Amino acid sequence: MNKVLRFNFLVIGLVILMSSVTGVKAQNVLGEVLRRMDLNNKSLQSLQSSVTMVKHNPQLNVSDTYNGSTKYLPKTAKRVRYIRLDWVKPTVEQVSVIGDKYELYKPSINQVYTGQVGKAQNSAGAGNVLGFMNMSKDELKENYTITWVAEEKIKGDIPTAHLLLTPKSLTSYKSAEIWVDTDGMPRQVKITEQNNDTTTVLLDNIVKNGTIKADDFLLKYDRKKVKFVKA
């Protein structure tokens, strides 16, 4: 179960990172990119998009690709944070996070795993990358050295600024790379772990500030038939 939690919360953590990295002062081009990211974050009221994740093992030279979609409502003074992740390939899984509570529904075995994000974050299975979920802009500035890499195009023709985030203290991963579009929206994140395994998450078909209801984050299953497992 720890592996399942790590898999899903890794992506959720990256989605949060992609929609909330803000506020670090820098010079010239880097400063302008971060300024746009800050404006994007402040204007973001909701987000929905398709998600592609590629996990690569360089030792075996093997990659696994996963496809799905996500919905996101940031935390405000009036509500908690809402996150939903729906995988469709290679397997169907649904994850919902409302505040600090999560549900993971696996239709193939008709089970729903429940728990608290805070406890999952502190477990070895979830991984330290979950720390992204609770980081403010000041914490990001305190914990990472941010470096401009280059201007690059992703997914064919999307122009982006490629930034490198290097942790200032020892973590389970070496670095996080972010590709930011011209509107200040992070479109892709790549995590390189200490063993050089990488996880790359791409957001595509993005819709910002569309109508998303709280009910959209409630997973639909027959409570009388599923088996609930506390994780």
Side-chain angles (χ1 to χ4, degrees), residues 154-189:
I154 62 172
K155 197 173 174 59
D157 59 356
I158 301 173
T160 66
H162 181 185
L163 306 181
L164 172 67
L165 277 67
T166 304
K168 292 182 179 180
S169 59
L170 182 63
T171 64
S172 63
Y173 53 94
K174 292 182 179 180
S175 64
E177 297 172 68
I178 307 174
W179 285 259
V180 184
D181 68 19
T182 54
D183 293 327
M185 179 70 200
R187 299 292 297 268
Q188 180 173 278
V189 168

Side-chain angles (χ1 to χ4, degrees), residues 4-5 7-8 67-69 84-95 104-109 113 219:
V4 175
L5 285 178
F7 171 84
N8 286 285
N67 299 103
S69 62
R84 177 162 178 161
L85 182 63
D86 292 87
W87 293 114
V88 294
K89 292 181 181 180
T91 59
V92 175
E93 288 185 3
Q94 300 171 356
V95 186
L104 165 60
Y105 175 40
K106 298 174 70 67
S108 61
I109 57 175
Y113 298 89
L219 304 185

Side-chain angles (χ1 to χ4, degrees), residues 5-68:
L5 285 178
R6 175 179 172 81
F7 171 84
N8 286 285
F9 278 124
L10 172 63
V11 180
I12 290 174
L14 293 181
V15 169
I16 297 300
L17 174 65
M18 294 167 83
S19 59
S20 64
V21 176
T22 62
V24 184
K25 292 184 179 179
Q27 299 292 325
N28 303 324
V29 178
L30 177 58
E32 174 61 19
V33 172
L34 294 171
R35 184 188 71 83
R36 292 178 183 177
M37 293 173 70
D38 191 45
L39 292 174
N40 174 76
N41 181 68
K42 290 177 179 177
S43 67
L44 188 66
Q45 300 175 25
S46 69
L47 172 73
Q48 49 188 324
S49 76
S50 58
V51 180
T52 301
M53 180 175 72
V54 178
K55 297 178 69 66
H56 180 66
N57 182 322
Q59 289 79 25
L60 300 177
N61 194 27
V62 174
S63 296
D64 296 311
T65 301
Y66 305 83
N67 299 103

